[in-house]
């Protein structure tokens, strides 16, 4: 049985298909549709895609959007040679196992080679077993564990005495309410 043809094109100006795929990927990953809609309506997605060094490709399978990949140039800035990072790669569930992801990666590889990049880096969630296996089969190795923390959490861990933990804020609010109530009663 012959494989269905996959076509990949760089996203230029029209973001409609990419936006729809991005929304579907985020909802598939557990983000609420409302949060996705807000990111799109606020223009956060389109402005992120217009940053220097960001490139996006869309794959179509039999004329229908089937997946996308978003890359950035030299993500860490300190690498000895230029590199391209795959920030997001997603294929619709119906289009999986049809070579869509490999065709998207072929487009990334071609762009990386044109830019003189010696490495392609992929940011894969540690919890995504399927994605980790896919990239490992293609020769991607694990070189770093990227850990992320919210600034408020880090502040509470580094200097708990200066962090606004919420308890101090609650205490201040209660004190202000008590004073306001006392002045109205008097």
């Amino acid at each position: 049985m012959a494989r269905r043809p996959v076509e990949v094109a760089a996203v230029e100006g029209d973001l409609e298909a990419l936006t729809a795929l991005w929304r579907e990927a985020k909802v598939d990953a557990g983000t609420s549709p409302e949060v996705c809609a807000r990111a799109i309506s606020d223009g956060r997605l389109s402005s992120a895609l217009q940053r220097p060094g960001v490139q996006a490709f869309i794959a179509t399978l039999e004329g229908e959007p089937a997946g996308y990949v978003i890359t950035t140039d030299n993500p860490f800035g300190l690498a000895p040679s230029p590199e391209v990072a795959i920030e997001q790669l997603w294929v619709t569930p119906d289009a999986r196992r049809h070579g869509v992801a490999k065709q998207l990666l072929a487009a990334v590889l071609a762009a990386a080679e044109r830019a003189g990049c010696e490495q392609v880096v992929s940011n894969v969630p540690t919890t995504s077993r399927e994605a980790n296996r896919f990239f490992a089969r293609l020769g991607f190795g694990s070189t770093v564990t990227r850990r992320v923390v919210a600034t408020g959490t880090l502040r509470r861990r580094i200097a708990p005495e200066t962090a606004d933990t919420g308890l101090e804020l609650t205490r201040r609010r209660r004190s202000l309410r008590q004073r306001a109530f006392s002045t109205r009663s008097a």
Side-chain angles (χ1 to χ4, degrees):
M1 178 183 214
R3 211 168 232 199
R4 299 184 293 176
V6 177
E7 295 179 20
V8 176
V11 175
E12 296 299 325
D14 184 21
L15 300 177
E16 188 175 329
L18 179 62
T19 300
L21 286 169
W22 180 85
R23 180 186 305 118
E24 189 177 345
K26 291 298 181 185
V27 169
D28 185 51
T31 304
S32 76
E34 294 79 23
V35 169
C36 295
R38 202 168 31 252
I40 293 166
S41 67
D42 290 351
R44 284 181 276 162
L45 176 62
S46 62
S47 67
L49 292 169
Q50 293 170 5
R51 290 181 192 148
V54 175
Q55 194 168 15
F57 297 92
I58 289 187
T60 56
L61 184 62
E62 295 179 348
E64 292 296 316
Y68 72 93
V69 63
I70 299 174
T71 65
T72 56
D73 293 340
N74 204 9
F76 302 110
L78 300 174
S81 61
E83 59 189 27
V84 169
I86 299 168
E87 299 295 338
Q88 295 180 17
L89 172 68
W90 189 75
V91 176
T92 61
D94 293 342
R96 293 179 185 160
R97 307 192 86 49
H98 292 286
V100 175
K102 283 186 180 180
Q103 290 300 317
L104 286 165
L105 287 176
V108 170
L109 175 61
E113 290 174 337
R114 279 193 304 274
C117 296
E118 295 179 15
Q119 292 184 326
V120 176
V121 178
S122 178
N123 295 316
V124 184
T126 55
T127 57
S128 180
R129 187 171 160 184
E130 184 179 324
N132 277 291
R133 285 182 174 177
F134 172 76
F135 282 104
R137 280 193 305 271
L138 293 174
F140 285 77
S142 178
T143 59
V144 66
T145 299
R146 186 176 181 188
R147 297 190 179 271
V148 180
V149 65
T151 55
T153 302
L154 185 58
R155 170 61 51 210
R156 286 190 299 276
R157 300 291 170 95
I158 290 175
E161 65 279 357
T162 63
D164 186 4
T165 61
L167 296 175
E168 179 63 25
L169 184 60
T170 303
R171 189 184 64 71
R172 277 187 262 152
R173 285 183 184 156
R174 286 180 181 158
S175 174
L176 289 171
R177 263 189 249 132
Q178 184 63 37
R179 276 190 241 156
F181 182 73
S182 299
T183 56
R184 275 188 264 159
S185 302

